[in-house]
Amino acid sequence: MHHTETRRPMKLLIRDVLRARHGRRDFLEHPSVAEIHRRLPDDLLEWFERVVIIERDPLTILCGPIDKSDWGYFEIWRYMRDRDYPDFDPDPDNGSDGDLDPENAALPYSPR
């Protein structure tokens, strides 16, 4: 039987991390934390490390993007980062023409 490695969907990785919070071992030891961290784009690394690893708040990464790809999660996490941790926003204009106020901007989708 030939085994092919499959890439687990981000939704399942997040679910595993949240379930591991109630386990016997520290949730940070769960391999899904490392896998999420490995997939993150550079602009989300510092935010993820602060929120999930330092502040130990994995519930922050729980969201429900319409686009269930990694990119869909990254976009919502960027919005959450910019809203809740503006000191981590590498581009305060969020790539817009400068007229968008991230604090009052409407999301094209709603996080859960």
Side-chain angles (χ1 to χ4, degrees):
M1 181 172 158
H2 181 63
H3 173 69
T4 58
E5 184 174 330
T6 59
R7 187 171 149 127
R8 294 198 66 212
M10 188 65 72
K11 176 181 179 177
L12 296 180
L13 295 174
I14 293 168
R15 183 199 64 193
D16 291 347
V17 170
L18 295 178
R19 286 183 178 171
R21 291 177 310 139
H22 303 294
R24 293 180 211 175
R25 297 188 313 169
D26 186 2
F27 77 91
L28 292 175
E29 295 177 26
H30 197 283
S32 292
V33 174
E35 178 63 17
I36 293 170
H37 188 268
R38 186 187 66 73
R39 292 188 195 180
L40 288 172
D42 290 341
D43 67 312
L44 287 172
L45 284 171
E46 190 176 1
W47 169 80
F48 181 86
E49 291 165 357
R50 177 174 170 184
V51 172
V52 175
I53 297 170
I54 295 170
E55 294 180 2
R56 303 181 60 78
D57 184 13
L59 284 173
T60 300
I61 62 173
L62 179 63
C63 60
I66 291 172
D67 176 5
K68 301 294 184 193
S69 69
D70 286 3
W71 186 255
Y73 282 92
F74 299 157
E75 286 299 306
I76 285 196
W77 291 345
R78 283 184 182 105
Y79 171 81
M80 293 164 50
R81 175 204 61 198
D82 298 348
R83 181 193 63 201
D84 300 332
Y85 296 88
D87 52 321
F88 286 121
D89 184 2
D91 179 11
D93 290 335
N94 294 324
S96 70
D97 60 7
D99 296 331
L100 181 63
D101 176 7
E103 187 68 32
N104 297 315
L107 277 176
Y109 38 71
S110 1
R112 300 179 98 221

